[in-house]
Amino acid sequence: MKRYLVLEDGSVFAGTAFGSDKEMHGEVVFNTGMTGYQETITDASYCGQIITFTYPLIGNYGVTADDDESVAPSCSGVVVHELARRASNWRNELSLDEYLRQHDIPGISDIDTRRLTRILREEGVMKGALVNELGDAKAKAAELKAAHFSTQQVEQVSTKSAYTDPNKGLRVVLVDFGLKYSILRELAQRQCNVTVVPSDVTAAKIEQLHPDGVLLSNGPGNPEDVPAALPMIRAVQERYPLMGICLGHQLFALANGATTSKMRFGHRGFNHPVREIATGKTVFTAQNHGYAVDADSLAGTPLLQTYTEINDDTVEGLRHRDRPAFSVQFHPDATPGPHDARYLFDDFVALMKKNKQTKQGAKADAKAE
């Protein structure tokens, strides 16, 4: 069956349909990872986007439920050069085609993904549609150009009610803006007792949970579309150690007076080199974001830049000058991807332990008086 990818600039790619027969539109982006297609597709940060994989062969090891990063994928489509005819892996449970059909997501194969990626790099990410009948391509492109897509992606992917991932260690409140399960796995490895809460949680609700620390998760879309989170972050960072990842990093920046802006084509892949400013150490990271914190906007804020992206000098990490709070643009949970930055979860745990000991010491002093 034929399928077409139409871009708002009028570009048309004809290919072969797989996955669902449903027609979908979304922002067309590209991911440079050589593996990990399932984790990418199930990353809620791709909500509403059509994912182009630059690696030429996708689907060769199939799909297994153990590798999901969310309950169900929320992307709008998948674009590949070649879809593997047969999945071969001892863990395989479904083919990628079967998996996308199961979740009603369309895919297109047998197109020149190098050409498509070049367009997106030169012109920037743009709106597109996967359609089964081409019709008037110019009219469809004009329609896409004028379309206004939903800005409520975080609301779509965030949990609607709180739930726990119980353990016997430090209590962490994890604010779900579109979290990856790999964050939960990293916290579980450190015996953290986690309560996951919706994105619209208030500081008062978090306080009722008596956390030792608060983690702001990754998530999709423009951070400026989540203004309700900013007063919560400002209040929380005054009382508890705080860590932000990806969208959580951007919201941490906004809450402290910095600004963000949309990137031309973003960072989406598992090979992004980041330099720690204090030490000069280079860390290879997994990234997935289309917005970045404006470096010039940090002047006059209580924030200090801690990491920079080596390829384009974008802001990759921040630390509050007066509070035990920090954030990173990349994914230290890194599934899939390099594990270089996992130590940041240890840093978060250390901050929580230190803050808890300080509070206990203050209580003991007050009781002695």
Side-chain angles (χ1 to χ4, degrees), residues 30-37 40 46 51-58 61 268-272 287 336-337:
F30 65 88
N31 182 290
T32 60
M34 295 176 66
T35 184
Y37 53 81
T40 298
Y46 285 100
I51 308 168
T52 302
F53 288 98
T54 62
Y55 192 70
L57 178 65
I58 299 293
Y61 54 84
R268 297 177 180 89
F270 320 130
N271 51 0
H272 290 266
Q287 302 199 16

Side-chain angles (χ1 to χ4, degrees), residues 94-208:
L94 289 171
S95 70
L96 181 57
D97 177 44
E98 291 169 329
Y99 183 75
L100 293 183
R101 286 181 185 274
Q102 193 177 83
H103 292 285
D104 208 18
I105 295 173
I108 184 172
S109 64
D110 301 320
I111 72 164
D112 187 348
T113 50
R114 291 179 300 177
R115 175 174 162 246
L116 173 57
T117 301
R118 198 167 189 173
I119 291 172
L120 298 178
R121 281 183 59 89
E122 292 174 358
E123 304 299 328
V125 295
M126 60 183 75
K127 290 173 279 189
L130 289 171
V131 297
N132 300 323
E133 299 291 338
L134 184 57
D136 187 339
K138 286 186 178 179
K140 201 168 289 293
E143 185 181 319
L144 281 168
K145 201 174 186 71
H148 294 284
F149 293 168
S150 171
T151 59
Q152 303 303 312
Q153 293 101 328
V154 168
E155 188 178 315
Q156 292 174 43
V157 298
S158 175
T159 183
K160 300 299 183 279
S161 57
Y163 63 91
T164 60
D165 187 12
N167 218 310
K168 296 181 179 179
L170 293 161
R171 289 194 295 267
V172 175
V173 169
L174 174 50
V175 185
D176 178 14
F177 298 108
L179 69 84
K180 292 171 64 180
Y181 286 166
S182 49
I183 295 175
L184 289 173
R185 295 186 193 107
E186 290 295 332
L187 292 172
Q189 285 179 18
R190 291 158 180 82
Q191 290 79 51
C192 292
N193 187 0
V194 181
T195 301
V196 180
V197 296
S199 60
D200 60 357
V201 69
T202 63
K205 287 284 187 184
I206 290 176
E207 189 172 342
Q208 291 171 12

Side-chain angles (χ1 to χ4, degrees), residues 177 214-217 223 226 229-230 232-234 236-238 240-260 293 298 301-306 315 317-329:
F177 298 108
V214 176
L215 196 153
L216 311 174
S217 85
V226 199
L230 305 188
M232 176 273 290
I233 294 169
R234 284 191 285 267
V236 162
Q237 71 185 14
E238 294 296 316
Y240 311 105
L242 181 143
M243 176 180 180
I245 296 174
C246 200
L247 180 62
H249 157 82
Q250 296 161 10
L251 293 171
F252 175 60
L254 292 177
N256 284 283
T259 61
T260 58
V293 175
L298 296 176
T301 74
L303 301 176
L304 178 70
Q305 184 176 346
T306 53
V315 176
L318 297 169
R319 178 173 58 80
H320 199 290
R321 295 176 187 269
D322 307 313
R323 298 287 181 266
F326 71 96
S327 65
V328 289
Q329 181 62 76

